[in-house]
Amino acid sequence: MCIFVIKPLAFQENCVGGILYAIESNSYGLRGLTLVKRLGSLSKPDDDEYLVAVVAFCVKPSFKILHGNVKNINYDDKVFKIGSDYLDRSPPGQGVMEAAKEFFKYGFSFWGNSDHCSGCLFEASFVGLKSLQ
């Protein structure tokens, strides 16, 4: 299990959906997708940036994030080469739990094994709730 963070460059180049498809195609399943607004950085204090954080289970070992500004997503040939300028991946173990706390603060229950890249994320839902009156 890991947490992927799609960076602002993907929004600027309108490829967030393609990157999400690449992650989904190379994993057993996705859970806990969230949009995160990060307030302006030190270099650009007036610019707000948007990120997408998503939890992926059982990511294929062949799915790698390359260094730099690489984006080659070919659906027909199943080629998914994505650069670190577009996408980050949480480190295994403790890194997954730290990323979960940062990006999934409310409405989620997370547990994980700090020694391995395993765990689970549950999303709270209003489905099935009834009035107690």
Side-chain angles (χ1 to χ4, degrees), residues 18-130:
I19 292 173
L20 280 172
Y21 176 79
I23 295 169
E24 184 178 30
S25 297
N26 288 283
S27 64
Y28 181 70
L30 302 181
R31 187 86 181 226
L33 180 106
T34 187
L35 180 67
V36 180
K37 183 176 181 180
R38 183 169 61 187
L39 299 178
S41 62
L42 292 175
S43 60
K44 298 179 183 178
D46 296 331
D47 290 344
D48 293 341
E49 298 179 323
Y50 289 92
L51 310 168
V52 171
V54 62
V55 178
F57 293 93
C58 300
V59 179
K60 295 177 184 175
S62 59
F63 186 74
K64 303 218 185 296
I65 299 173
L66 307 174
H67 181 70
N69 189 354
V70 178
K71 183 184 64 173
N72 182 5
I73 301 172
N74 184 327
Y75 303 111
D76 296 330
D77 296 333
K78 304 282 187 219
V79 174
F80 303 104
K81 296 179 181 175
I82 302 169
S84 59
D85 290 352
Y86 295 94
L87 185 66
D88 259 341
R89 181 179 182 166
S90 65
Q94 189 66 29
V96 174
M97 292 195 294
E98 290 171 8
K101 288 177 190 173
E102 180 178 351
F103 294 112
F104 300 99
K105 296 179 182 178
Y106 307 105
F108 292 90
S109 175
F110 178 82
W111 67 265
N113 184 338
S114 61
D115 297 331
H116 301 87
C117 196
S118 63
C120 198
L121 181 87
F122 300 97
E123 183 176 359
S125 171
F126 290 114
V127 175
L129 293 180
K130 296 181 181 179

Side-chain angles (χ1 to χ4, degrees), residues 3-15:
I3 295 177
F4 287 100
V5 178
I6 300 173
K7 296 181 174 181
L9 182 60
F11 284 91
Q12 294 168 8
E13 296 189 8
N14 297 318
C15 60

